[in-house]
């Protein structure tokens, strides 16, 4: 596991629930010290929401080795990358993974919008690279979007789908495109909901209430954005805008200003809704 942010922690918990041993890598010891606290909090929350997949923070950490050196994944059977949604951050990771892990080892890309084919090309072995788009919160979501890069091999596809099955989840295979299926649609929805709030068409509560009560969504687009992290949402929309050169993906100014202000959603305590004092 490369990257110990919200998604990296969620995938780690899902892996430990399924009995896998995990090597979790991030940049600094400070980040990894924080992970030990937040994984325990996350595990408690997921246990409350889904008792059948109960696991404690201690059980997660007992089977997880924490490292700051990417070399630690050299002998892994499978790699999943969860670094921040910036190509400049991901590029050196993929260049190094291509040198580190054994040929034939699947490299799963858990990205929101960056094309899999582009990242695969950085490794020198694009046949091993495959999109593995987990949804947040990972332990509670039953399905994974698996993305075939232009040069992803059938063997890699088969191994990744077997892995997803071993996690107790289903997989849907799609072809490569910026944002794939899920985020190409969802990020537009979230961005348009932010524009509605920005223009004063409705309050955050009422916008989300309409999606929950009229369409049967578990949560509305603004609460969903808070869960994902508004910084990640903005980066994803920016990737779509850059890739398609289409003005429909122009980020809402309100979203940009909230990210600039550090209002990133649940993980910061405030986003479109206030989470201070009632857990994140």
């Amino acid at each position: 596991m490369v990257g110990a942010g919200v998604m990296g922690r969620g995938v780690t918990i899902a892996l430990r629930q399924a009995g896998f041993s995990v090597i979790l890598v991030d940049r600094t010891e400070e980040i990894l010290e924080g992970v030990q606290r937040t994984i325990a909090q996350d595990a408690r929350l997921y246990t409350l929401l889904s008792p059948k997949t109960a696991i404690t923070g201690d059980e997660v950490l007992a089977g997880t080795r924490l490292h700051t050196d990417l070399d630690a994944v050299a002998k892994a059977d499978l790699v999943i990358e969860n670094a921040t949604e910036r190509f400049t951050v991901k590029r050196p990771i993929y260049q190094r993974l291509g040198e580190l892990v054994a040929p034939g080892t699947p490299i799963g890309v858990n990205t929101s919008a960056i094309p899999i084919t582009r990242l695969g090309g950085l490794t020198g072995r694009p046949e091993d690279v495959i999109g593995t788009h987990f949804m947040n919160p990972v332990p509670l979501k039953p399905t994974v979007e698996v993305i075939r890069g232009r040069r992803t091999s059938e063997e890699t596809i088969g191994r990744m789908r077997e892995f997803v099955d071993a996690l107790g989840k289903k997989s849907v295979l799609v072809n490569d495109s910026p944002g794939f299926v899920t985020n190409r649609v969802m990020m537009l929805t979230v961005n348009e909901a932010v524009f509605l709030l920005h223009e004063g068409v409705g309050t955050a509560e009422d916008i989300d209430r309409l999606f929950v009560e009229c369409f049967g969504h578990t949560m509305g687009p603004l609460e969903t954005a808070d869960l994902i992290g508004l910084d990640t949402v903005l980066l994803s929309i920016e990737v779509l805008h850059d890739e398609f050169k289409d003005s429909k993906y122009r980020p809402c100014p309100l979203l940009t200003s909230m990210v600039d202000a550090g209002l990133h959603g649940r993980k910061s305590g405030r986003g479109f809704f206030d989470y201070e004092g009632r857990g994140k």
Side-chain angles (χ1 to χ4, degrees):
M1 293 291 298
V2 181
V6 173
M7 290 302 296
R9 297 196 308 272
V11 179
T12 295
I13 291 172
L15 285 164
R16 291 295 301 130
Q17 287 173 333
F20 287 93
S21 296
V22 180
I23 299 167
L24 180 58
V25 180
D26 213 312
R27 292 173 294 122
T28 68
E29 292 291 350
E30 289 77 15
I31 291 172
L32 295 177
E33 288 172 6
V35 164
Q36 296 182 62
R37 295 189 298 273
T38 50
I39 273 185
Q41 296 168 1
D42 293 345
R44 283 197 297 272
L45 175 61
Y46 298 142
T47 296
L48 286 171
L49 296 174
S50 180
K52 65 180 181 180
T53 58
I55 190 169
T56 67
D58 287 343
E59 289 171 328
V60 174
L61 293 170
T64 303
R65 289 186 288 158
L66 305 176
H67 289 272
T68 57
D69 190 344
L70 192 59
D71 288 8
V73 307
K75 296 183 179 180
D77 296 314
L78 183 143
V79 177
I80 299 173
E81 175 273 319
N82 310 273
T84 191
E85 197 70 8
R86 292 186 187 275
F87 183 73
T88 53
V89 172
K90 291 181 182 291
R91 179 169 52 201
I93 294 172
Y94 282 90
Q95 291 169 334
R96 186 71 181 122
L97 286 175
E99 301 168 353
L100 274 178
V101 299
T105 302
I107 300 174
V109 186
N110 190 17
T111 180
S112 297
I114 297 173
I116 306 307
T117 302
R118 181 175 304 159
L119 294 171
L122 298 171
T123 65
R125 38 195 286 199
E127 65 277 4
D128 294 336
V129 179
I130 183 168
T132 313
H133 184 205
F134 290 88
M135 312 296 160
N136 190 25
V138 179
L140 305 183
K141 296 295 184 179
T143 304
V144 178
E145 185 179 29
V146 174
I147 304 101
R148 183 204 314 262
R150 184 172 287 273
R151 295 181 62 187
T152 305
S153 71
E154 291 299 323
E155 181 180 0
T156 297
I157 293 169
R159 290 187 64 188
M160 186 56 75
R161 298 192 80 172
E162 288 175 5
F163 166 71
V164 171
D165 185 63
L167 293 179
K169 299 181 184 296
K170 296 172 285 186
S171 61
V172 175
L173 179 66
V174 302
N175 291 322
D176 197 12
S177 171
F180 327 120
V181 171
T182 51
N183 277 348
R184 189 165 164 182
V185 174
M186 187 184 71
M187 292 301 171
L188 268 176
T189 302
V190 168
N191 197 44
E192 197 62 28
V194 182
F195 268 113
L196 288 167
L197 181 62
H198 182 56
E199 296 163 10
V201 177
T203 64
E205 291 80 4
D206 286 344
I207 290 167
D208 272 14
R209 181 183 173 192
L210 286 165
F211 278 84
V212 171
E213 296 184 8
C214 295
F215 299 132
H217 292 192
T218 303
M219 63 177 68
L222 299 177
E223 187 179 0
T224 298
D226 278 353
L227 179 63
I228 295 168
L230 302 193
D231 52 341
T232 299
V233 170
L234 178 58
L235 286 170
S236 300
I237 294 171
E238 288 174 339
V239 168
L240 292 169
H241 189 253
D242 290 344
E243 291 291 333
F244 289 112
K245 306 295 190 294
D246 191 327
S247 62
K248 71 182 179 183
Y249 295 107
R250 178 177 64 92
C252 178
L254 175 59
L255 177 62
T256 301
S257 67
M258 290 180 69
V259 171
D260 289 344
L263 304 175
H264 293 174
R266 284 181 178 269
K267 62 186 175 185
S268 70
R270 286 183 59 197
F272 294 110
F273 300 96
D274 189 351
Y275 304 93
E276 296 286 1
R278 61 183 180 97
K280 302 176 186 178

